[in-house]
């Protein structure tokens, strides 16, 4: 590939709902530009951007991928992203390094949930945006409906630049509203014609829409327009250009990825009006710890080299590959930079450009360009590499909260040996994945953003690292306690087995303590009825019993114990005997002291559209939840806060998604422990194993 200056680079993220045609559009752009000899198909698993077996199996993209192409003396770095709800973290990463986001919207399905979600993310980051309405060759495609939805759901500034000529199978070209010309396609190649007569009226009408969409970006022009003064084409184009860069105007163009209609026009537009890295300085944090200074750094190829790692790929053979954007300066193979988070030195051994999974060595990458490097020593996604002595950071990428978890159990010892490393490597590659060991329930937990995410993780675990696991539901960390005080309970351990016997007697009082106060132990034994070390042994026996499980088989908490009396034998007593006596006394006392199971309660905050608030609150009630309050966000969504038993929301990620058509979000956090209602105790109690 030729060398390109920063101003000739375009970093373009393709985003939108799953199935809209992003990966196909990337393929069509690569094909039109001659970067690939023939068009692959998503269905056949032959596209440049979907390359993982897990992606082929499902026919959907699961992680972002980068594919560069050359068009009219420019280098366009396409960043294809997944559109599936579980993988929005990948979209967040792509939006952080793109200078323009092309929203691909299917003219068949319209504006879908994940498109709106990604639009909100792009708006929050002030990323310039445009829309490509795809699949216009489809029989059920409707441009009018789609355009109306774009206006309705994405807000002001939607500026349709084009109209389709022909519909469904008869879709054959594009009318350009700014220049009043028709472009008719044959096998992906366009020729220019007059606008068909029967379209003229419609064209006028949409042209007015276009002008309205553009003039909103410029207050003075909007005022003149409202006074009846319609701006000329030149003025419109200039305003359009400024409006795109300012992320206030969003041009809409049209086509068909699989039929390769409108692809050249998209590429032209990216080159002509797409912002270059020069237009988009990157916010950085400079300075050492105490007094961080926030500034912007320009994409200056002669400046200090700075690289931002936005993606890590774990390859079991090659090792780790880090994808980065050169924020400023120029990087070359064997350059030394420092990881600003760790302070560790990193040498950029081989410098690469990526196209999907293919890697090409490259001799330099200038400011604004995207590349990769393998085998960095200690760098993760979200890290910044900077020159030594100039620790500069770029804010890490915001990751979605894990909302669903499952527990994994290795098949064999060999699998167990591989598991920890494999999980660690997968978590390095996938910042949305969290691994946790729960010492209370003795489970290894995978936490992710949804069922598909966790499923994919398990497949990768086996495919990439050869670790085979079973899964099981998460065990709820129930506990137990007592509700009334009991006094004078005796624990007597007496055994005569041939020679040496075992003897120990203790008498205890127990009382409930407040939630969270834990265990307390005291002795009121007087007159040396039992020795000091035996009292210690009683305490040990009780503490062991509490952690092994009380009458229902769960750890016992929040109990106060007092030893009041006891008996010892000069020959047969031992610490062991008093430990056993302590256990027996505690078990007996607990059984009389109104034992209950405590269940964890989570504080759940659910954000949903107004029209599903009723359903969501009803559902929370059905889960034994107690709604604490409701609120409204700035954009009119409802925020419901509730306390819900943790056992009832283990799979809430899946259930909320179906309850709200994917429009609901939630966050759950452990809040406190509360008594499990008596009618549920039998379903929850565990076999108590007394190995007394
Ligand atoms: N008819 C038609 N189908 C398309 C078009 N673009 C993509 N598709 C199909 O839509 C499906 C989803 O496409 P894909 O590129 O994977 O969408 P993505 O999830 O947005 O990446 C695939 O079956 C494609 O063949 C198009 O322009 N017209
Ligand atoms: Mg895709």
């Amino acid at each position: 590939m030729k060398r390109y200056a920063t101003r000739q680079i375009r970093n373009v993220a393709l985003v939108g709902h799953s199935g809209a045609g992003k990966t196909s559009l990337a393929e069509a752009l690569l094909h039109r530009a001659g970067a690939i000899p023939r068009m692959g198909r998503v269905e056949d698993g032959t596209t440049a951007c979907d390359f993982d077996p897990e992606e082929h199996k499902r026919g959907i993209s699961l992680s972002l991928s980068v594919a560069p192409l050359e068009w009219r003396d420019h280098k366009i770095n396409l960043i294809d992203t997944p559109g599936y709800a579980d993988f929005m973290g990948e979209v967040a990463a792509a939006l952080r390094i793109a200078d323009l986001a092309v929203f691909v919207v299917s003219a068949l399905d319209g504006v879908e949930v994940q498109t709106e979600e990604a639009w909100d993310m792009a708006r929050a980051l002030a990323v310039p945006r445009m829309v490509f309405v795809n699949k216009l060759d489809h029989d059920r495609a409707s441009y009018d409906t789609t355009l109306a939805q774009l206006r309705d759901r994405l807000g002001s500034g939607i500026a349709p630049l084009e109209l389709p000529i022909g519909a469904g199978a008869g879709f054959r070209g594009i009318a350009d509203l700014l220049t009043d010309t028709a472009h008719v396609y044959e096998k992906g190649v366009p020729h220019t014609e007059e606008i068909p007569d029967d379209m003229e009226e419609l064209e006028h009408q949409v042209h007015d829409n276009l002008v309205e969409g553009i003039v909103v970006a410029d207050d003075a022009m909007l005022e003149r327009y409202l006074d009846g003064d319609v701006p000329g084409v030149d003025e419109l184009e200039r305003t359009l250009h400024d409006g795109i860069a300012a992320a206030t105007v969003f041009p809409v163009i049209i086509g068909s990825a699989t039929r390769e209609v409108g692809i050249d026009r998209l590429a032209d537009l990216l080159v002509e009006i797409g912002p270059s890295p020069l237009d988009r300085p990157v916010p950085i944090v400079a300075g050492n710890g105490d007094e961080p200074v926030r500034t912007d750094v320009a994409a200056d190829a002669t400046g200090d080299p700075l690289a931002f790692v936005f993606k890590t790929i774990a390859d079991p053979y090659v090792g780790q590959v880090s994808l980065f954007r050169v924020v400023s300066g120029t990087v070359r193979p064997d350059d030394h930079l420092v990881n600003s988070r760790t302070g560790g030195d990193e040498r950029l051994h081989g410098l690469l450009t990526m196209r999907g999974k293919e890697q090409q060595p490259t001799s330099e990458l200038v400011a604004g360009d995207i590349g990769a490097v393998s085998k960095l020593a200690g760098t993760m996604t979200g890290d910044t590499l900077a020159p030594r002595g100039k620790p500069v950071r770029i804010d890490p990428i915001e990751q979605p909260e894990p909302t669903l978890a499952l527990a994994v159990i290795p098949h064999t010892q060999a699998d167990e040996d591989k598991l920890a490393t494999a999980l660690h490597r997968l978590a390095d590659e996938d910042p949305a994945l969290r691994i946790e060991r729960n010492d209370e329930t003795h489970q290894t937990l995978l936490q992710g953003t949804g069922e598909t995410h966790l499923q994919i993780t398990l497949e990768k675990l086996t495919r990439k690292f050869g670790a085979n696991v079973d899964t099981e539901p998460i065990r709820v960390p129930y506990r137990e306690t007592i509700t009334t005080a009991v006094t004078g309970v005796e624990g007597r351990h007496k055994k005569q087995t041939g020679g040496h016997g075992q003897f120990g007697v203790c008498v205890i009082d127990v009382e409930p303590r407040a939630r969270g106060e834990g265990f307390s132990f005291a002795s009121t034994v007087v007159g040396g009825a039992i020795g000091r070390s035996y009292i210690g042994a009683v305490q040990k026996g009780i503490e062991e019993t509490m952690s092994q499980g009380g009458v229902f088989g769960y750890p016992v908490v929040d109990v106060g114990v007092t030893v009041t009396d006891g008996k010892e034998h000069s020959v047969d007593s031992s610490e062991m005997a008093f430990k056993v006596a302590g256990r027996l006394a505690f078990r007996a006392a607990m059984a009389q002291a109104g034992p209950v199971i405590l269940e964890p309660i989570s504080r759940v905050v659910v954000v949903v559209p107004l029209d599903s608030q009723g359903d969501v609150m009803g559902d929370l009630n059905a889960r034994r939840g107690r709604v604490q309050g409701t609120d409204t966000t700035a954009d009119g969504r409802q925020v419901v806060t509730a306390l819900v038993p943790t056992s009832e929301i283990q799979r809430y990620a899946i259930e909320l998604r179906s309850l709200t058509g994917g429009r609901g979000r939630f966050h759950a956090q452990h809040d406190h422990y509360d008594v499990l209602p008596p009618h549920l105790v039998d379903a929850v109690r565990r076999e108590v194993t007394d190995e007394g």
Side-chain angles (χ1 to χ4, degrees):
M1 197 174 274
K2 236 184 77 178
R3 283 191 183 186
Y4 292 92
T6 302
R7 67 182 161 74
Q8 295 168 298
I9 293 172
R10 300 288 179 272
N11 295 314
V12 178
L14 301 176
V15 298
H17 201 87
S18 192
K22 298 173 292 296
T23 302
S24 305
L25 184 59
E27 193 73 6
L29 282 161
L30 291 166
H31 183 229
R32 279 286 106 211
I36 53 172
R38 69 189 73 81
M39 279 270 288
R41 287 173 13 115
V42 172
E43 291 84 346
D44 303 339
T46 50
T47 61
C49 291
D50 282 355
F51 51 81
D52 270 347
E54 290 80 17
E55 295 182 316
H56 293 163
K57 182 175 152 195
R58 290 172 177 77
I60 62 170
S61 313
L62 303 170
S63 70
L64 71 79
S65 59
V66 177
L69 59 90
E70 297 171 278
W71 189 263
R72 285 175 41 193
D73 220 21
H74 286 72
K75 179 183 183 190
I76 303 176
N77 289 314
L78 295 176
I79 306 131
D80 183 28
T81 66
Y84 196 77
D86 291 18
F87 307 104
M88 293 308 276
E90 297 287 303
V91 178
L95 290 174
R96 282 291 298 278
I97 50 133
D99 297 310
L100 176 74
V102 175
F103 281 73
V104 182
V105 173
S106 154
L108 186 62
D109 307 296
V111 177
E112 298 167 272
V113 189
Q114 260 19 83
T115 305
E116 284 182 63
E117 170 110 2
W119 190 268
D120 288 344
M121 291 163 72
R123 180 178 17 220
L125 294 166
V127 178
R129 279 152 274 168
M130 60 178 284
V131 178
F132 184 85
V133 176
N134 188 34
K135 300 198 185 181
L136 279 162
D137 59 299
H138 199 283
D139 286 342
R140 281 183 287 116
S142 165
Y143 182 55
D144 295 348
T145 314
T146 308
L147 189 56
Q149 285 187 6
L150 289 171
R151 287 218 169 82
D152 186 37
R153 309 232 172 116
L154 305 184
S156 73
I158 296 292
L161 301 183
E162 304 176 336
L163 272 182
I165 301 173
F171 173 59
R172 58 185 201 284
I174 291 168
D176 184 327
L177 294 169
L178 277 177
T179 60
D180 255 343
T181 47
H183 303 263
V184 175
Y185 285 77
E186 264 159 69
K187 295 212 167 106
V189 183
H191 62 271
T192 313
E193 288 181 7
E194 295 276 300
I195 302 259
D197 288 345
D198 58 350
M199 278 186 69
E200 295 234 347
E201 196 178 320
L202 181 63
E203 203 217 323
H204 286 308
Q205 188 194 328
V206 183
H207 184 267
D208 288 349
N209 284 339
L210 167 61
V211 174
E212 277 161 28
I214 296 177
V215 295
V216 294
D218 183 324
D219 286 347
M221 196 187 279
L222 177 61
E223 208 162 297
R224 278 192 285 131
Y225 176 75
L226 293 175
D227 288 342
D229 178 5
V230 179
V233 171
D234 282 356
E235 201 177 356
L236 281 176
E237 275 185 351
R238 222 173 23 238
T239 314
L240 181 64
H241 194 281
D242 295 348
I244 291 166
T248 51
V249 176
F250 315 107
V252 180
I253 64 167
I254 62 173
S256 160
T258 45
R259 295 256 307 267
E260 295 189 85
V261 176
I263 307 305
D264 54 321
R265 295 175 58 82
L266 170 59
D268 284 346
L269 205 61
L270 296 178
V271 165
E272 285 161 16
I273 56 139
S276 92
L278 291 177
D279 300 320
R280 308 240 322 136
V282 174
I284 58 167
V285 188
N288 294 334
D290 336 335
E291 272 177 59
V293 186
R294 288 194 170 264
T295 50
D296 284 349
V297 64
D300 175 2
T302 62
D304 280 337
L306 263 188
F308 177 64
V309 177
F310 62 90
K311 169 92 190 159
T312 307
I313 301 172
D315 188 306
Y317 307 108
V318 185
Q320 195 165 292
V321 180
S322 308
L323 275 62
F324 60 88
R325 170 170 166 150
V326 184
V327 171
S328 76
T330 300
V331 295
R332 299 189 177 81
D334 293 326
D335 275 357
H336 282 269
L337 291 173
V338 173
N339 181 316
S340 314
R341 180 178 55 85
T342 63
D345 193 66
E346 293 284 15
R347 190 171 143 212
L348 310 182
H349 289 278
L351 216 50
L352 309 162
T353 55
M354 307 283 289
R355 170 169 301 131
K357 67 167 185 263
E358 274 153 41
Q359 309 172 344
Q360 287 271 319
T362 183
S363 58
E364 68 169 37
L365 288 165
V366 296
D369 210 347
I370 288 172
V373 60
S374 61
K375 299 198 178 84
L376 290 181
T379 293
M380 306 189 314
T381 301
D383 285 351
T384 308
L385 303 177
R388 175 157 296 288
K390 297 192 178 169
V392 164
R393 272 180 297 118
I394 289 153
D395 281 333
I397 300 154
E398 248 186 70
Q399 285 304 323
E401 292 259 345
T403 51
L404 191 69
L406 51 76
V408 289
I409 313 150
H411 278 180
T412 64
Q413 184 60 45
D415 291 319
E416 165 131 43
D417 295 343
K418 289 179 203 155
L419 189 62
T421 323
L423 287 176
H424 194 75
R425 299 270 294 275
L426 282 176
D428 282 349
E429 160 177 278
D430 177 2
L433 177 70
R434 293 194 205 158
I435 314 295
E436 195 188 286
R437 174 78 197 163
N438 187 320
D439 290 330
E440 194 163 331
T441 59
H442 309 291
Q443 286 186 310
T444 298
L445 303 182
L446 301 191
Q447 299 178 309
T449 50
E451 229 176 358
T452 308
H453 182 215
L454 293 177
Q455 198 54 47
I456 304 280
T457 303
L458 294 175
E459 287 172 27
K460 284 190 184 167
L461 205 54
T462 307
R463 175 175 66 86
K464 287 191 166 185
F465 302 99
N468 292 294
V469 295
D470 283 325
T471 65
E472 63 175 6
I474 307 171
R475 288 186 204 124
V476 178
Y478 291 109
R479 295 174 181 173
E480 48 185 280
T481 192
I482 57 173
T483 54
T484 56
V486 176
T487 55
V489 181
E490 186 188 84
R492 168 180 293 269
H493 182 56
K494 188 177 173 192
K495 245 186 196 156
Q496 203 63 51
T497 44
H500 211 48
Q502 295 178 40
F503 183 84
V505 177
C506 68
V507 180
I508 62 169
D509 296 347
V510 295
E511 58 174 3
R513 306 190 79 207
R515 260 333 55 75
E517 279 191 355
F519 172 64
S520 73
F521 184 84
S523 162
T524 57
V525 175
V526 285
I530 48 177
R532 225 172 226 303
S533 69
Y534 292 154
I535 292 174
V538 168
Q539 176 174 356
K540 224 183 234 153
I542 292 174
E543 283 184 68
E544 276 179 21
T545 309
M546 287 177 70
S547 71
Q548 280 161 8
V551 293
F552 304 108
Y554 295 102
V556 182
V557 296
D558 303 336
V559 175
V561 177
T562 310
V563 190
T564 55
D565 200 0
K567 279 189 206 117
E568 60 174 73
H569 183 276
S570 57
V571 179
D572 289 346
S573 279
S574 65
E575 287 190 13
M576 197 54 212
F578 274 95
K579 259 174 84 171
V580 177
R583 167 165 47 227
L584 294 174
F586 185 76
R587 280 224 198 289
M590 213 185 153
Q592 299 167 40
V596 288
I597 294 182
L598 293 174
E599 63 173 339
I601 307 289
S602 294
R603 173 174 297 272
V604 184
V605 179
V606 194
V607 183
V608 292
L610 184 57
D611 57 10
S612 44
Q613 186 189 15
D615 290 347
V616 166
M617 286 179 51
D619 175 73
L620 287 172
N621 281 326
R623 295 172 192 277
R624 301 191 283 126
R626 278 181 292 133
V627 173
Q628 305 288 295
T630 57
D631 204 351
T632 308
T633 63
D635 61 0
R637 283 179 295 172
Q638 300 300 299
V639 184
V640 181
T641 305
L643 292 172
V644 192
T646 307
S647 62
E648 301 279 348
I649 51 160
Q650 304 280 52
R651 296 175 65 75
Y652 196 53
I654 300 163
E655 286 136 5
L656 182 67
R657 205 176 273 183
S658 76
L659 212 55
T660 61
R663 291 188 152 80
R665 302 279 163 274
F666 82 102
H667 169 80
Q669 194 177 10
H670 174 73
D671 194 77
H672 66 280
Y673 271 88
D674 209 346
V675 175
L676 181 77
H679 70 278
L680 295 173
V681 165
D682 281 341
V684 164
R685 76 187 316 150
R686 281 203 305 218
E687 201 66 19
V688 182
T689 47
D690 197 348
E691 70 301 350

